[in-house]
Amino acid sequence: MALSTHTTASGFLLPSIHSAPPFFTQQPNASTQSIVGEQWIRLILAYARHRNLFTLRIEDAETTGGDWDEILRNERIHRRLLPSHLSFLFSEMVSKNIAVYEPPKQTRSVLLYWRLPEEWAEVLHGWAISTAQLNTILTFYEITDPPIESPLTGIPVTILRRAITVLNKTGRAQIIGVADGEGVRFFAGT
C-alpha cells in the first residue's frame, strides 16, 4: 500500500505518514523515535483542535469506539497505537509544556494544550470584548457553556483558570468569589 493522505469521517485530513505501519510502533533508534514522536504530537494536537477535544487517556488506545479512534487506529493497514507508545508520547508532551497530567499525580490521562494558556487568554479576552462582557461578573459555567456557542464552549475549567491567571497578571481579569463557585470580571486592560 502506497503512503497516502486520508480524510476521516469527521473531515480531518490524516497525513501520509499515518498509512506507514512503522508510524504505529515505538522506534528503538532514539533519533528515529524523536522524529516519529514529533509527528505524533503534531497529529494529536491538530486532531484535538479539529474535534475540540481536550483530554486524551491511555484507555483511548486500549478500547475502540472513542473520540480518538480516527487517529489512534488505521484499519486500512491493520495498525493501532499501543498504550505504551501513547504513554511515552504523554511524557514527551508534558515535558514540552503542551500537555499536563490531569488529574495530577497520575500518568494515564493528559489535558492537551492545542492552544497554550496564553493563547486561550487572548481568545477569552477577545470573547469578553466582542460579547460586551467587560466589567461584568461571569461564572465559569457561563463562559464554558454559553447560550451561543463560542470558541470557549466546553473548555475545561483547569485551562480556563490558567487563561484567567494570565489575564489577571496583565490587569485584564479578576477572579471573584460568587455564591455558586467562582466568577471572573474582565477589564479592557492596557
Side-chain angles (χ1 to χ4, degrees):
M1 175 180 202
L3 297 183
S4 62
T5 60
H6 177 75
T7 303
T8 67
S10 71
F12 183 76
L13 181 64
L14 291 168
S16 59
I17 189 75
H18 195 265
S19 60
F23 185 58
F24 290 86
T25 307
Q26 196 164 347
Q27 300 298 309
N29 179 290
S31 64
T32 304
Q33 179 54 43
S34 175
I35 293 166
V36 169
E38 283 300 317
Q39 291 173 328
W40 264 113
I41 289 168
R42 277 197 304 274
L43 176 61
I44 288 168
L45 293 175
Y47 186 75
R49 186 178 196 132
H50 170 76
R51 294 279 314 272
N52 204 36
L53 300 172
F54 292 95
T55 304
L56 180 56
R57 294 177 273 289
I58 295 296
E59 290 78 31
D60 294 318
E62 295 172 333
T63 59
T64 58
D67 290 332
W68 292 92
D69 279 0
E70 290 182 329
I71 66 165
L72 299 182
R73 290 169 180 65
N74 186 333
E75 297 303 326
R76 294 172 294 125
I77 60 170
H78 308 291
R79 292 283 192 258
R80 69 182 181 93
L81 188 68
L82 294 175
S84 59
H85 194 178
L86 185 56
S87 180
F88 173 80
L89 294 171
F90 283 2
S91 66
E92 289 292 303
M93 290 188 286
V94 168
S95 73
K96 295 174 189 230
N97 293 319
I98 51 177
V100 292
Y101 289 114
E102 183 67 30
K105 300 182 182 174
Q106 57 77 44
T107 59
R108 292 190 57 85
S109 177
V110 291
L111 190 61
L112 299 167
Y113 288 156
W114 42 269
R115 279 190 177 131
L116 296 173
E118 295 79 12
E119 294 169 311
W120 278 114
E122 295 309 315
V123 170
L124 177 59
H125 195 256
W127 172 82
I129 291 170
S130 70
T131 58
Q133 302 291 343
L134 293 181
N135 296 310
T136 302
I137 298 174
L138 296 169
T139 65
F140 286 5
Y141 177 78
E142 290 172 307
I143 296 169
T144 63
D145 194 19
I148 298 171
E149 192 167 319
S150 81
L152 301 161
T153 300
I155 186 173
V157 171
T158 303
I159 294 176
L160 178 62
R161 190 182 315 278
R162 289 184 178 147
I164 292 169
T165 300
V166 170
L167 293 174
N168 187 34
K169 289 178 182 174
T170 59
R172 297 184 288 166
Q174 173 187 23
I175 292 182
I176 309 274
V178 294
D180 54 350
E182 290 180 295
V184 62
R185 178 183 295 151
F186 296 100
F187 306 105
T190 55

